């Protein structure tokens, strides 16, 4: 749990209203350190008017918005709207007129004939890859000697030589699929025109950037290029369109195109080849024990870093289906970190990046996936060639760059904090890597712009009742905008447009998610698709995590009603509740660094200043003003976090389905060495099948009234909940590097519930205590007030979930003969 204390400068509030296209002005950039963690010399200011002209960013006399520019203004997207302008633009891209020539880009040289072949040759002839080929060939040849007793050394040597040739051919195939094909400048210009046309047509209000942030990035890029150092572009990932936006921006702004790490699921016919020629390189999601493939990938990436090529990878590893940032995926970053620690590359520059959309194209698909439906085949080509999508007006895109910083500087700072650091210690490197990953997430959050659609979607989902009148909606949007700015967040500025106009425009963009009833005394808006709308609400969540956790903790008393004296919480009790919730949800959110006591104190001070809460001695309670206005601000914070609490409660209650029955069935036994108890029978479940059944369980509870939020059953948050329950020792998981071996899951013996004489699960024990502890923070509902009725109904349904399927029986049968040790010691929540 944490509280953001930084304040946004007035000049960083971003204009929202459409403005005419104009070149970017040339600004004077002050000499500043790149970051507080940077130990390298200060970078000189290298931005000049002459350099600016090279990438087509001419000075302008318009002072209306010197902080933000629309990169696609005055770019016609339809031939029929402006035939002459469209053809002139196409010709300018083809001929390379002005900034479209892309000849003076900043960065290590790419886009020349033979570039790709040079890179492939370096990788295949590298010491690492040649060593791995020889090692694997010798290893397999020695296996031949063990299986054939009469094998001579000559036979073994001949076999080894043959194996080396075969492995060399395998490595050639790996490199062909891996290496980006950045050979053709003419293709990049045509690709730029193609992407420009798509973006202009789909996001008709443009691609907006902060000029000051870009100039800082450009200044760092010049310094990095002079020292053969790479920019490591680390954006959030909300849509397949991200790939196009980032490459287009680097082309448009005159920076060397990054080599883009992409999953091999995108290596599709036509589109895969196009993206590869635009800088994409495809890697497997995991390569397990394939040592040769690992060596090829590491050599390729380290070679790019050594020569100062820019690299782009999505820090979350995949598109966020929920709207908020996902935990960092650290595979690519680990290779980058190892390369710097080994000294092969002297340094590189971390560039966190936020991309926000008025509307994300894939949200409907995301909802289907989160509900457990089979994932649709990746189809960026389907998006960019869908004429219906291209005709829709999706609003605008806002791109922001956090201040770049030296990775070597970050490493030095972290080592200084930890007093000692052993570069050979894998555990210390993992700690350093995780610190880097979460720092990047924090940086992305700090520069993310809250779009009008997120403002309206958040307000719609955090009000009591079925709908809201237009005047009330406008009032709450204004309150939310003010609250975000007060927290140091960024909101797309309204730039002369009234709040009412902004609300109307956002509702137009979200017209399939928010509906309007006009036959009433005043227009009433309501959420037509709450699940899909939650994607936009979650984009605001990171700004109010601290307040939301404190509010949910206070709810344990406030929901009891009665006099004020019964609705207050002692500060020590509040700390206990906040600590529990923060630990429970630590996989979901990025918290502010620092002691939880200090962060709690700062959060309470903020809530007191906002007149939401007050202190009476050592007790915290709602302020009189908040009570007078119907708890609307307090409720806002609760509504933000309740869906997540519901999901974790669902995950915990689902574990009752793992309780062994009294009837004979395939089980294994666990010997618990920490107690004197006799071996406990354990049922192992296919993990994926169990998760699917949990979602069905959640749907049933929702329609029966035991869950308040349908989005609480979403697959991604449930997966995070089970990860957290594994971390604290409630469940055990068996995984294998072999992708053909199913992952299995079982309940830890210390948490296995008991059954009564009739064979029914009893609502007691450590697991039930946890369920009730989480349940204290849930939104109250009439169906949940009678705990006895609820426990019997819910546990009966859990029994149905626990009925083994064929896959589970296979898993359990295969494990029967194998005793298994108990899971890791329990960690406190």
């Amino acid at each position: 749990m944490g509280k953001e204390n930084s304040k946004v400068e007035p000049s960083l509030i971003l204009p929202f209203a459409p403005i005419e296209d104009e070149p970017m002005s040339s600004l004077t950039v002050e000499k500043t350190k790149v970051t507080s963690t940077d130990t390298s010399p200060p970078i000189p200011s290298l931005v000049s008017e002459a350099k600016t002209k090279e990438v087509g960013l001419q000075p302008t006399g318009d002072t209306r918005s010197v902080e933000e520019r629309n990169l696609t203004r005055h770019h016609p997207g339809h031939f029929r709207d402006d035939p002459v302008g469209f053809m002139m633009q196409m010709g300018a891209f083809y001929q390379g007129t002005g900034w479209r020539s892309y000849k003076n880009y900043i960065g290590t040289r790419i886009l020349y004939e033979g570039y790709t072949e040079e890179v492939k040759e370096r990788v295949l002839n590298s010491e690492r890859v040649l060593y791995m080929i020889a090692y694997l060939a010798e290893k397999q040849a020695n296996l031949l000697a063990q299986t054939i007793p009469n094998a001579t050394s000559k036979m073994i040597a001949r076999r080894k030589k043959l194996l080396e040739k075969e492995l060399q051919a395998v490595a050639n195939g790996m490199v062909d699929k891996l290496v980006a094909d950045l050979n053709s400048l003419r293709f990049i210009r045509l690709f730029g025109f193609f992407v420009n046309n798509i973006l202009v047509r789909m996001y008709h209000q443009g691609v907006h950037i902060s000029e000051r942030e870009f100039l800082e990035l450009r200044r760092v890029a010049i310094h990095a290029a002079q020292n053969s150092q790479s920019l490591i572009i680390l954006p959030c990932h909300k849509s397949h369109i991200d790939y196009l936006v980032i490459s287009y921006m680097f082309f448009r702004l005159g920076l060397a195109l990054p080599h883009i790490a992409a999953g091999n699921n995108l290596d599709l016919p036509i589109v895969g080849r196009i993206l590869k020629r635009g800088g994409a390189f495809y890697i497997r999601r995991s390569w397990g024990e394939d040592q040769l493939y690992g060596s090829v990938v590491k050599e390729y990436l380290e070679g790019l870093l050594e020569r100062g090529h820019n690299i782009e990878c999505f820090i979350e590893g995949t598109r966020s289906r929920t709207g908020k940032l996902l935990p960092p995926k650290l595979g690519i970053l680990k290779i980058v970190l190892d390369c710097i620690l080994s000294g092969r590359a002297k340094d590189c520059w971390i560039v966190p990046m936020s991309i926000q959309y008025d509307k994300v194209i894939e949200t409907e698909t995301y909802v289907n996936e989160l509900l457990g439906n089979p994932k649709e085949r990746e189809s960026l080509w389907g998006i960019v060639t869908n004429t219906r999508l291209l005709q829709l007006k999706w609003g605008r895109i806002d791109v922001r760059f956090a201040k770049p910083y030296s990775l070597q500087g970050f490493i030095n700072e972290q080592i200084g904090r930890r007093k000692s650091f052993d570069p050979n210690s894998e555990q210390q490197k993992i700690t350093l890597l995780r610190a880097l990953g979460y720092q990047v997430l924090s940086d992305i959050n700090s520069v993310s712009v809250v779009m009008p659609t997120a403002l309206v979607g958040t307000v719609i989902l955090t009000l009591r009742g079925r709908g809201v009148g237009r005047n009330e909606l406008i009032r709450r949007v204004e309150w939310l905008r003010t609250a975000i700015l007060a927290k140091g967040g960024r909101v797309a500025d309204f730039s002369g447009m009234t709040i009412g106009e902004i609300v109307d425009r956002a509702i137009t963009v979200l017209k399939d998610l928010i509906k309007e009833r006009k036959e009433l005394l005043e227009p009433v808006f309501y959420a037509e698709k709450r699940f899909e709308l939650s994607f936009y609400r979650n984009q605001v969540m990171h700004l109010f995590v601290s307040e939301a956790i404190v509010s949910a903790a206070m709810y344990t008393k406030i929901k009891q009603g009665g006099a004020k004296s019964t609705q207050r919480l002692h500060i020590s009790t509040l700390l206990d509740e906040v600590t529990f919730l923060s630990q429970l949800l630590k996989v979901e959110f990025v918290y502010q660094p620092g002691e939880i006591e200090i962060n709690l104190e700062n959060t309470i001070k903020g809530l007191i200043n906002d007149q939401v809460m007050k202190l009476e001695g050592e007790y915290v309670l709602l302020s009189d003003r908040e009570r007078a206005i119907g708890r609307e601000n307090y409720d806002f914070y609760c509504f933000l976090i309740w869906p997540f609490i519901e999901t974790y409660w669902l995950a915990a209650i689902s574990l009752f389905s793992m309780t062994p029955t009294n009837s004979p069935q395939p089980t294994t036994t666990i010997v618990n060495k920490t107690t004197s108890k006799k071996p406990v029978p354990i049922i192992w479940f296919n993990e994926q099948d169990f998760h699917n059944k949990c979602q069905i369980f959640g749907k049933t509870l929702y329609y029966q009234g035991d869950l308040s939020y349908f989005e609480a059953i979403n697959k991604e948050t449930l997966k995070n909940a089970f990860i957290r329950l594994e971390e604290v020792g409630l469940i055990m998981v068996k995984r294998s590097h072999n992708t053909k071996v199913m992952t299995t899951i079982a309940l830890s013996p210390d948490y296995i519930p008991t059954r009564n004489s009739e064979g029914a699960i009893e609502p007691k024990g450590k697991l039930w205590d946890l369920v009730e502890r989480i349940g204290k923070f849930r939104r109250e509902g009439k169906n949940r007030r009678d705990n006895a009725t609820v426990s019997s109904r819910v546990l009966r349904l859990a029994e149905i979930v626990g009925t083994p399927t064929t896959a589970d029986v296979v898993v359990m049968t295969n494990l029967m003969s194998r005793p298994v040790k108990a899971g890791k010691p329990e960690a406190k929540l």
Side-chain angles (χ1 to χ4, degrees):
M1 189 197 82
K3 179 177 176 67
E4 305 251 1
N5 294 318
S6 60
K7 293 184 178 180
V8 67
E9 298 179 33
S11 60
L12 285 180
I13 301 172
L14 308 176
F16 179 76
I19 55 177
E20 289 75 32
D21 189 17
E22 61 212 19
M24 206 173 283
S25 63
S26 177
L27 296 182
T28 302
V29 180
E30 297 178 359
K31 294 182 180 181
T32 59
K33 279 190 173 182
V34 171
T35 179
S36 58
T37 64
D38 179 18
T39 58
S40 62
I43 302 171
S45 177
L46 297 173
V47 178
S48 66
E49 182 173 320
K51 282 285 184 183
T52 302
K53 288 181 179 178
E54 289 180 2
V55 291
L57 307 179
Q58 312 297 340
T60 176
D62 190 344
T63 60
R64 175 179 46 187
S65 177
V66 296
E67 277 298 329
E68 179 184 310
R69 288 296 181 271
N70 177 1
L71 297 182
T72 58
R73 173 131 319 117
H74 286 333
H75 292 192
H78 296 271
F79 175 81
R80 64 176 179 270
D81 293 340
D82 184 3
V84 175
F86 185 88
M87 295 304 297
M88 288 180 63
Q89 178 174 258
M90 184 169 65
F93 273 96
Y94 181 79
Q95 296 173 7
T97 302
W99 56 267
R100 299 169 186 84
S101 69
Y102 199 61
K103 291 181 178 178
N104 297 312
Y105 57 82
I106 300 167
T108 303
R109 187 170 176 240
I110 51 176
L111 301 173
Y112 57 87
E113 193 64 36
Y115 166 78
T116 303
E117 293 306 317
E118 285 182 14
V119 174
K120 289 179 180 179
E121 186 177 347
R122 288 195 193 101
V123 173
L124 290 171
N125 294 324
S126 66
E127 183 179 344
R128 171 187 273 133
V129 173
L130 292 176
Y131 168 81
M132 185 56 64
I133 289 174
Y135 167 77
L136 292 175
E138 183 174 1
K139 184 178 179 180
Q140 293 183 42
N142 290 336
L143 288 176
L144 175 67
Q146 295 174 14
T147 55
I148 303 177
N150 299 325
T152 64
S153 57
K154 199 170 185 179
M155 289 173 59
I156 296 173
R158 191 164 52 246
R159 176 62 175 165
K160 179 183 177 183
K161 191 172 183 180
L162 180 62
L163 286 169
E164 285 181 349
K165 288 184 178 180
E166 291 177 355
L167 288 170
Q168 187 70 48
V170 171
N172 284 339
M174 291 176 176
V175 169
D176 285 339
K177 292 184 72 68
L178 178 69
V179 175
D181 188 6
L182 286 168
N183 285 318
S184 173
L185 176 57
R186 173 161 291 184
F187 171 82
I188 291 299
R189 289 173 183 161
L190 293 176
F191 185 57
F193 169 74
F194 175 71
V195 173
N196 179 84
N197 192 43
I198 290 172
L199 295 178
V200 169
R201 294 178 67 180
M202 295 179 68
Y203 291 93
H204 64 295
Q205 289 195 330
V207 179
H208 297 252
I209 68 168
S210 164
E211 183 172 356
R212 191 173 73 175
E213 290 173 1
F214 160 66
L215 289 176
E216 176 65 14
L217 172 62
R218 189 172 187 274
R219 188 167 68 89
V220 171
I222 293 172
H223 173 80
Q226 290 174 340
N227 292 276
S228 297
Q229 295 170 356
S230 303
L231 301 180
I232 309 299
I233 315 300
L234 299 173
C236 59
H237 198 8
K238 288 192 166 56
S239 170
H240 277 319
I241 299 297
D242 296 341
Y243 295 101
L244 305 181
V245 171
I246 298 169
S247 294
Y248 174 79
M249 284 188 55
F250 273 64
F251 173 76
R252 172 68 179 85
L253 299 174
L255 304 179
L257 291 177
H259 295 66
I260 308 166
N264 59 356
N265 55 328
L266 283 175
D267 190 7
L268 304 171
I270 304 176
V271 69
R273 177 63 175 159
I274 292 173
L275 291 178
K276 195 170 186 182
R277 295 188 70 184
F281 63 93
Y282 301 111
I283 57 175
R284 302 174 190 168
R285 291 291 183 181
S286 62
W287 50 81
E289 298 176 356
D290 191 335
Q291 294 173 291
L292 179 58
Y293 185 78
S295 296
V296 168
V297 173
K298 289 176 184 176
E299 181 61 34
Y300 176 52
L301 286 172
E302 289 190 7
L304 294 178
L305 290 165
E306 186 179 25
R307 292 184 294 278
H309 290 293
N310 297 337
I311 298 174
E312 171 195 331
C313 70
F314 294 100
I315 185 66
E316 300 161 279
T318 186
R319 291 170 295 162
S320 171
R321 272 74 171 169
T322 62
K324 68 179 185 62
L325 290 179
L326 303 176
K329 295 293 189 294
L330 304 173
I332 298 294
L333 276 186
K334 183 179 187 304
I335 297 175
V336 173
L337 184 66
D338 286 342
C339 184
I340 301 300
L341 289 174
S342 70
R344 181 171 178 178
K346 181 181 177 182
D347 201 357
C348 62
W349 295 83
I350 303 297
V351 185
M353 181 178 177
S354 167
I355 307 175
Q356 300 295 333
Y357 300 84
D358 257 332
K359 189 172 185 183
V360 172
I361 295 171
E362 301 102 316
T363 50
E364 185 175 354
T365 301
Y366 292 166
V367 169
N368 289 331
E369 292 180 22
L370 293 175
L371 287 174
N373 298 323
K375 182 178 178 181
E376 294 184 8
R377 185 173 176 82
E378 310 287 0
S379 183
L380 176 60
W381 182 253
I383 292 175
V384 301
T385 58
N386 188 320
T387 55
R388 184 185 67 83
L389 289 178
L390 292 177
Q391 300 304 322
L392 297 176
K393 297 184 183 299
W394 299 87
R396 69 185 255 178
I397 304 172
D398 276 80
V399 180
R400 296 294 179 269
F401 298 98
K403 196 170 186 178
Y405 50 90
S406 156
L407 179 54
Q408 186 64 64
F410 177 85
I411 294 170
N412 293 342
E413 184 193 55
Q414 293 295 314
I415 292 175
R417 287 182 179 179
R418 290 169 171 76
K419 307 301 181 186
S420 62
F421 178 76
D422 180 4
N424 297 316
S425 169
E426 284 301 317
Q427 186 56 49
Q428 289 192 39
K429 282 200 286 189
I430 290 172
T431 300
L432 184 62
L433 189 61
R434 285 177 58 83
L436 176 60
Y438 279 97
Q439 179 62 53
V440 170
L441 293 185
S442 179
D443 293 336
I444 291 172
N445 275 336
S446 70
V447 296
S448 293
V449 175
V450 177
M451 308 298 282
T453 47
L455 290 175
V456 173
T458 300
V459 169
I460 291 282
L461 293 182
T462 54
L463 290 173
R464 294 187 182 273
R466 297 185 180 89
V468 59
R470 183 175 183 275
N471 292 335
E472 178 67 5
L473 179 58
I474 291 171
R475 184 181 71 83
R476 290 304 294 172
V477 166
E478 173 61 21
W479 175 86
L480 179 56
R481 174 180 176 272
T482 303
I484 291 171
L485 294 176
K487 291 282 293 179
R490 300 181 177 192
V491 179
D493 191 19
F494 303 139
S495 189
M497 298 177 70
T498 66
I499 303 295
E501 290 171 332
I502 293 299
V503 168
D504 292 340
R505 178 198 168 280
I507 289 174
T508 300
V509 174
L510 298 175
K511 59 186 176 183
D512 53 335
L513 308 184
I514 299 174
K515 298 298 183 181
E516 178 185 5
R517 295 195 181 279
K518 298 181 178 180
E519 71 277 10
L520 307 176
L521 296 178
E522 68 170 339
V524 173
F525 299 97
Y526 63 96
E528 173 76 2
K529 299 179 179 179
R530 298 185 66 90
F531 202 142
E532 197 169 334
L533 202 57
S534 68
F535 181 92
Y536 300 93
R537 178 202 61 204
N538 290 343
Q539 296 177 26
V540 177
M541 184 70 210
H542 67 280
L543 292 162
F544 302 106
V545 172
S546 301
E547 290 80 2
I549 288 177
V550 170
S551 296
M554 289 293 299
Y555 186 69
T556 59
K557 279 292 185 181
I558 292 174
K559 70 178 179 180
Q560 296 175 5
K564 292 181 185 179
S565 58
T566 65
Q567 297 185 41
R568 61 181 190 170
L569 215 55
H570 192 276
I571 191 70
S572 61
T573 306
L574 180 60
L575 176 61
D576 289 341
E577 303 288 24
V578 165
T579 300
F580 173 81
L581 266 183
S582 298
Q583 289 298 310
L584 179 70
L585 301 173
K586 67 181 294 185
V587 180
E588 295 295 331
F589 306 114
V590 181
Y591 298 141
Q592 183 76 3
E595 298 293 329
I596 192 168
E597 294 84 358
I598 297 174
N599 290 336
L600 175 59
E601 181 181 347
N602 292 334
T603 302
I604 292 174
K605 286 180 180 178
L607 290 169
I608 291 173
N609 290 337
D610 294 339
Q611 301 184 58
V612 176
M613 294 182 185
K614 67 177 181 178
L615 276 175
E616 287 185 354
E618 295 185 343
Y619 289 87
V620 181
L621 68 163
L622 288 182
S623 69
D624 295 336
R625 178 183 178 277
E626 187 64 20
R627 292 178 183 277
I629 62 175
R631 295 185 352 194
E632 62 179 10
N633 298 333
Y634 168 78
D635 285 348
F636 167 82
Y637 298 127
C638 290
F639 276 114
L640 282 178
I641 204 166
W642 271 335
F644 296 95
I645 295 174
E646 290 262 270
T647 302
Y648 279 70
W649 179 85
L650 173 62
I653 200 72
S654 297
L655 298 185
F656 277 91
S657 64
M658 295 183 176
T659 307
T661 64
N662 294 331
S663 58
Q665 59 180 305
T667 61
T668 61
T669 58
I670 294 271
V671 179
N672 193 337
K673 296 184 177 181
T674 62
T675 68
S676 58
K677 295 180 181 178
K678 62 182 181 179
V680 180
I682 298 293
I683 303 178
W684 291 88
F685 291 84
N686 175 302
E687 183 184 47
Q688 185 59 52
D689 189 55
F690 180 77
H691 288 183
N692 292 339
K693 289 191 290 187
C694 286
Q695 284 197 290
I696 298 173
F697 181 36
K699 290 178 185 178
T700 306
L701 293 179
Y702 173 77
Y703 286 112
Q704 290 188 355
D706 292 303
L707 277 181
S708 297
Y709 300 95
F710 194 56
E711 61 262 37
I713 68 171
N714 90 71
K715 183 174 66 175
E716 289 299 323
T717 310
L718 263 177
K719 183 173 70 174
N720 288 342
F722 285 121
I723 289 173
R724 187 67 186 124
L725 294 176
E726 179 191 357
E727 289 176 350
V728 298
L730 267 76
I731 57 179
M732 304 175 293
V733 180
K734 282 184 169 295
R735 298 183 178 89
S736 172
H737 290 298
N738 187 345
T739 56
K740 296 181 180 179
V741 177
M742 292 182 294
T743 299
T744 56
I745 185 173
L747 187 59
S748 176
D750 290 339
Y751 286 87
I752 293 179
T754 58
R755 292 180 180 273
N756 60 23
S757 58
E758 298 177 354
I761 299 174
E762 295 182 302
K764 62 181 184 180
K766 293 177 69 174
L767 181 56
W768 184 255
D769 291 342
L770 176 64
V771 168
E772 289 212 307
R773 181 79 191 274
I774 299 173
K776 289 197 315 179
F777 307 100
R778 297 172 65 211
R779 182 183 180 186
E780 196 59 86
K782 63 179 181 180
N783 290 346
R784 294 200 297 273
R785 292 189 183 279
D786 183 348
N787 287 333
T789 302
V790 172
S791 62
S792 62
R793 181 171 68 249
V794 172
L795 294 181
R796 177 182 61 81
L797 293 172
E799 287 271 31
I800 299 174
V801 174
T803 304
T805 62
T806 302
D808 295 325
V809 171
V810 170
V811 170
M812 292 186 287
T813 303
N814 289 340
L815 293 172
M816 276 183 65
S817 60
R818 222 178 344 148
V820 185
K821 293 183 180 180
K824 55 187 174 184
E826 175 186 352
K828 289 185 178 181
L829 279 174

